[in-house]
């Protein structure tokens, strides 16, 4: 009949299915590559370490300078025998060099205590240059002051131990033995302070 329509089903063979490519290929899984960020080594690490060592040396310098000043200022000895008019007594303020020694070492101890905050600033901000320059200048001044005081006192201690036959100065340490021992210990402590101050100058120079 003319009004009837017939539907014809065409089945595809497996070979024909393989030959046809899909119109839209499935999206490939994108592999995300994360960039590796290498942290740069922290700059100023060694400067911070030098600043910490600087604080430790300043504390040590305070101990040696203050010990030298106290030892010298408390030095006194009176011999057990005396005459009707004289009493044999030795103390530090009888000699101007020893008085200067006490003043200079006291100034050095106070200076080292006052400069500890500057060293702490160098620990927090190790790249700062101005505090280092100030410390180098002031430490150098303290080296000169402390060396002068220790050298002057050392010359008096040498004369007290050995005397001077050309000037007819007798050695007094045979009579004032305790006095000479305490004074000698104070001079040694002052020279240790000089060594500490010299190390501080070198540390500040390296940290620049």
């Amino acid at each position: 009949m003319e009004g009837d329509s017939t539907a014809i089903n065409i089945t595809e063979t497996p070979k024909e299915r393989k030959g046809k490519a899909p119109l839209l290929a499935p999206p490939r899984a994108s592999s995300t590559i994360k960039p590796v960020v290498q942290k740069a080594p922290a700059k100023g690490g060694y400067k911070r370490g030098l600043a910490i060592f600087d604080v430790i040396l300043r504390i040590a310098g305070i101990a040696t300078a203050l010990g030298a000043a106290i030892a010298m200022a408390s030095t006194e000895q009176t011999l057990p025998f005396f005459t009707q008019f004289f009493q044999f007594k030795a103390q530090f303020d009888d000699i101007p060099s020893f008085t200067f020694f006490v003043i200079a070492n006291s100034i050095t101890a106070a200076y080292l205590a006052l400069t500890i905050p500057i060293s702490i600033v160098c620990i927090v901000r190790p790249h700062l240059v101005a505090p280092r320059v100030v410390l180098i200048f002031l430490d150098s001044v303290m080296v000169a002051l402390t060396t002068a005081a220790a050298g002057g006192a050392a010359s008096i201690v040498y004369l007290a131990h050995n005397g001077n036959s050309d000037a007819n100065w007798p050695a007094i340490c045979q009579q004032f033995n305790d006095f000479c021992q305490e004074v000698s210990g104070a001079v040694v402590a002052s020279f240790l302070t000089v060594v500490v101050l010299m190390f501080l100058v070198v540390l500040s120079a390296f940290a620049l």
Side-chain angles (χ1 to χ4, degrees):
M1 296 178 65
E2 295 180 357
D4 294 337
S5 62
T6 58
I8 300 172
N9 294 326
I10 302 173
T11 59
E12 296 179 348
T13 61
K15 290 183 179 181
E16 291 177 347
R17 289 177 184 175
K18 289 182 181 181
K20 290 183 179 180
L23 296 177
L24 295 176
R28 296 182 181 179
S30 61
S31 59
T32 58
I33 301 174
K34 296 182 179 179
V36 179
V37 179
Q38 294 181 353
K39 294 183 178 180
K43 296 181 180 179
Y46 78 96
K47 291 185 177 181
R48 184 173 285 108
L50 291 177
I52 295 172
F53 191 48
D54 185 278
V55 173
I56 296 173
L57 283 180
R58 290 185 187 280
I59 295 173
I62 293 170
T64 54
L66 196 60
I70 293 173
M72 181 66 79
S74 61
T75 300
E76 181 180 352
Q77 183 180 1
T78 302
L79 296 182
F81 55 88
F82 55 91
T83 64
Q84 185 179 358
F85 302 101
F86 295 102
Q87 184 180 15
F88 298 96
K89 182 179 180 181
Q91 56 188 107
F92 83 98
D93 55 358
D94 294 332
I95 303 171
S97 294
F98 290 168
T99 305
F100 173 66
F101 179 91
V102 173
I103 295 172
N105 281 275
S106 300
I107 292 173
T108 302
Y111 160 78
L112 289 172
L114 291 174
T115 52
I116 286 179
I118 301 178
S119 296
I120 295 175
V121 170
C122 294
I123 295 175
V124 177
R125 303 184 66 181
H127 295 290
L128 291 179
V129 177
R132 292 292 183 185
V133 175
V134 172
L135 288 177
I136 288 177
F137 176 74
L138 295 178
D139 289 345
S140 300
V141 173
M142 289 298 110
V143 168
L145 177 65
T146 312
T147 303
S155 63
I156 301 300
V157 171
Y158 176 83
L159 289 175
H161 278 282
N162 302 311
N164 191 330
S165 58
D166 296 334
N168 293 324
W169 290 343
I172 65 170
C173 285
Q174 294 179 356
Q175 292 79 24
F176 297 95
N177 187 28
D178 294 338
F179 176 82
C180 289
Q181 286 183 354
E182 292 178 7
V183 167
S184 299
V187 171
V188 171
S190 185
F191 275 114
L192 288 177
T193 306
V194 174
V195 173
V196 170
L197 288 169
M198 293 175 67
F199 270 114
L200 288 173
V201 173
V202 173
L203 280 180
S204 297
F206 271 116
L208 286 178

